Amino acid sequence: MKVGVIGLGSMGMGAALSLLRAGHEVTGCDMRVSARDEFAAAGGGVAATAAELPLGTEAVVVLVVNAAQTEAALFGEGGAASRLAPGAVIVSSATMGPDAARALAEQAQERQLLFLDAPVSGGAVKARAGEMTVMASGSVAAFGAAEPVLGAIATKVWHLGEEPGIGATVKVVHQLLAGVHIAVAAEAMALGIRAGADPQALYDVVTSAAGNSWMFENRMARVLAGDDAPRSAVDIFVKDLGLVTEMARSLNFPVPLASQAQQLFTAARAIGQGGKDDGFVIRVWQAMTGIKLPGE
């Protein structure tokens, strides 16, 4: 299958490599030369812009930052839509609000293209292993056309309904949990450090007991290692928790925990940590209390 992947970040690169391993003819699109070079070295085709995707591309996976970038990559001047084969499927995997997903689906339909509202989860490691989770909604035809792509990039594909926007809704709710879990994991570790607990011992106890969460185990391991290289950056949760509060506001629904977590990630960005790994929201507590993090 002739597939384009727009956005060769931590998730997009993994998806592109997984598609390549599955035997698809894959072109990876990214403005960054380093990303294109990495994918080319693995044997994939590369393009600097969506307008350079091969004519007749049958499926395109869009793994950019947000809805605005998705729209520009697909339907903007020099977007991918003109390069797609008739009836091609768009797999829209950026995290966005449900209204934005529905609007993109309408634009795809106007061009007689299939659209799958298909946000993903799993992180860079699972993306490279082809083991992501996909939360998808769309027509039966869209699911059918996207099946070879989904089979290559994911081990779990949720069919959430035929209406675009449902996948986006589920992902926004998922990000509420993810963001709050990361923030509270950092708060707990920071409190333990301030109280004099050994950070490694604290980590070992929590990860063997009922208070553990996947986010505590994953993110606080990086804090213990002093590894703030961004797999998922602080800035991502400033954005994603903003989507949570926007969706909740439209429903007159209070989300106090998500709102507080967003403020903590915003504070981390304000002190220069926006591009760091999201577990390093812990540096907000460091800034306020003067604690010393492991490795410092």
Side-chain angles (χ1 to χ4, degrees):
M1 191 174 191
K2 189 182 291 187
V3 184
V5 177
I6 301 176
L8 296 175
S10 57
M11 302 288 278
M13 181 65 78
L17 292 170
S18 297
L19 286 160
L20 199 62
R21 284 196 308 271
H24 296 288
E25 182 183 339
V26 187
T27 301
C29 174
D30 201 290
M31 294 177 61
R32 296 168 300 145
V33 175
S34 59
R36 298 199 303 271
D37 287 349
E38 180 182 348
F39 191 57
V46 294
T49 68
E52 298 172 24
L53 288 176
L55 194 63
T57 293
E58 300 164 274
V60 61
V61 181
V62 189
L63 270 162
V64 292
V65 172
N66 54 29
Q69 287 188 9
T70 301
E71 183 175 23
L74 291 170
F75 308 122
E77 184 177 349
S82 64
R83 312 300 292 173
L84 301 182
V89 62
I90 295 166
V91 180
S92 175
S93 295
T95 302
M96 63 184 71
D99 289 343
R102 285 188 283 266
L104 289 169
E106 289 176 4
Q107 292 189 64
Q109 186 175 25
E110 290 169 2
R111 294 165 173 82
Q112 298 184 318
L113 298 169
L114 299 169
F115 184 90
L116 203 64
D117 171 21
V120 297
S121 182
V125 172
K126 287 195 174 183
R128 285 183 178 252
E131 297 176 352
M132 292 193 292
T133 294
V134 180
M135 313 161 207
S137 62
S139 67
V140 173
F143 271 107
E147 195 280 329
V149 171
L150 300 177
I153 68 174
T155 52
K156 183 64 179 179
V157 179
W158 289 97
H159 291 233
L160 298 172
E162 294 192 16
E163 294 299 321
I166 303 172
T169 296
V170 171
K171 180 61 187 290
V172 169
V173 173
H174 175 275
Q175 293 306 87
L176 184 161
L177 288 165
V180 169
H181 284 182
I182 293 167
V184 76
E187 180 173 278
M189 180 61 78
L191 176 62
I193 292 171
R194 179 61 183 266
D198 176 76
Q200 183 65 59
L202 175 62
Y203 177 86
D204 292 342
V205 170
V206 170
T207 55
S208 69
N212 190 34
S213 70
W214 190 90
M215 285 299 190
F216 182 93
E217 187 166 349
N218 183 267
R219 299 313 204 262
M220 291 307 102
R222 299 177 194 168
V223 169
L224 289 174
D227 180 8
D228 64 4
R231 286 75 163 181
S232 173
V234 163
D235 282 340
I236 294 296
F237 276 97
V238 175
K239 171 186 73 76
D240 287 1
L241 289 169
L243 293 174
V244 173
T245 57
E246 287 170 15
M247 187 174 82
R249 186 165 52 248
S250 73
L251 298 168
N252 293 319
F253 190 91
V255 284
L257 296 180
S259 299
Q260 183 60 47
Q262 187 194 22
Q263 290 301 304
L264 291 166
F265 284 104
T266 300
R269 180 165 69 179
I271 61 172
Q273 302 301 306
K276 303 299 184 182
D277 191 81
D278 52 30
F280 284 81
V281 67
I282 196 171
R283 287 185 173 138
V284 173
W285 286 273
Q286 183 181 39
M288 291 190 292
T289 67
I291 60 172
K292 194 171 183 179
L293 297 181
E296 294 184 351

